[in-house]
Each structure stands twice: as C-alpha cells, then as structure tokens.
Amino acid sequence: MKKNKRILVISLIVITFCAVLFFTFFNNITFDFSINEYSQELSTFSNVSNDVTNEIKTAAQAKSAAFKIWKQVYGDSVIFKLPYRVYYDSESHIWLVKGSWVFFIPGGPHILLKEEGGEVLAVWHDKA
C-alpha cells in the first residue's frame, strides 16, 4: 500500500511540474486588458528600471522581456513566479505581463511594456 501511495504522489508531482512548464513556456495565450485601469501603477511605478527591450510583437517575446527585467529588479526569485500571464491592449499597443506565486494565486511581479521599441513603462510587485 505504501508503494502505491508513493507512486501516486510522484505522479502528481510530475503532472504538476509538466503543467507549470506548459503554462509558463508553451502557452502563449494573450488576454485583453485596458491600460486605463493601470493609471495608478503608471504614476507610482513608472520606469523604475529605465530599460528598453526590443520591439515586442508576440506573447512569447513579452514573457521573455518581462523575465529579463524582473530578474534585474528582483533577482533569481522570479524563476518561481510561474506561470506568467500575458495581456495586450490593442488600442494603446501595450503589453502587461503578470507573474504569480503558484498558478493563479494573486500576487507576484507585473510589468507594462510598449510594443514599439519595448520601453518599460512600469514594474511592480504585489503580495499574495
């Protein structure tokens, strides 16, 4: 019986790990958002890193740019803020990338990036 429990626990761990990898690296679903909802963040956390990335045309590029900036600002701990969720405002051409603690628990790093030129507009971190 103990052997069956161990196999079940190991299987659940492997499945969870694979799901995190999928949602983090292979899932490039983009959600809509409005930059108007983030005026406070823009004024409070605007361009704290003064970084500019390359032009950002895809969700994968937005995730990559976010990770690069977050790593500079918060260190290696951002590796564990998975999965990253990507949002796009098609009127303003601005990307929002959110990290999380584990799956969809609130909190984690956030970043607003301009599509053209990849300018970092704001970087901040919420607590769960």
Side-chain angles (χ1 to χ4, degrees):
M1 192 55 114
K2 282 186 175 186
K3 185 176 180 180
N4 289 341
K5 286 183 181 180
R6 284 186 195 155
I7 291 172
L8 179 63
V9 168
I10 291 171
S11 298
L12 289 173
I13 290 170
V14 168
I15 290 169
T16 302
F17 180 74
C18 290
V20 167
L21 281 178
F22 172 78
F23 282 110
T24 303
F25 298 107
F26 304 113
N27 180 6
N28 288 319
I29 295 172
T30 303
F31 303 96
D32 293 329
F33 88 106
S34 172
I35 191 65
N36 299 331
E37 298 170 10
Y38 289 86
S39 59
Q40 181 178 352
E41 287 81 1
L42 282 169
S43 64
T44 306
F45 306 108
S46 64
N47 206 0
V48 293
S49 67
N50 291 321
D51 277 326
V52 176
T53 64
N54 296 325
E55 187 172 42
I56 302 168
K57 290 289 189 184
T58 67
Q61 290 172 333
K63 283 182 188 180
S64 177
F67 178 76
K68 177 184 157 196
I69 302 300
W70 288 337
K71 192 168 180 186
Q72 290 174 2
V73 175
Y74 301 115
D76 290 332
S77 67
V78 298
I79 294 169
F80 302 107
K81 307 302 185 206
L82 304 172
Y84 302 153
R85 293 170 306 213
V86 181
Y87 301 80
Y88 184 70
D89 182 335
S90 58
E91 289 182 19
S92 300
H93 303 284
I94 294 176
W95 295 94
L96 167 64
V97 183
K98 295 181 177 185
S100 60
W101 288 99
V102 177
F103 285 97
F104 296 102
I105 296 174
H110 297 70
I111 191 167
L112 290 165
L113 302 159
K114 273 190 177 179
E115 178 180 32
E116 188 174 321
E119 180 184 349
V120 177
L121 300 175
V123 178
W124 72 98
H125 196 291
D126 288 347
K127 300 289 181 195

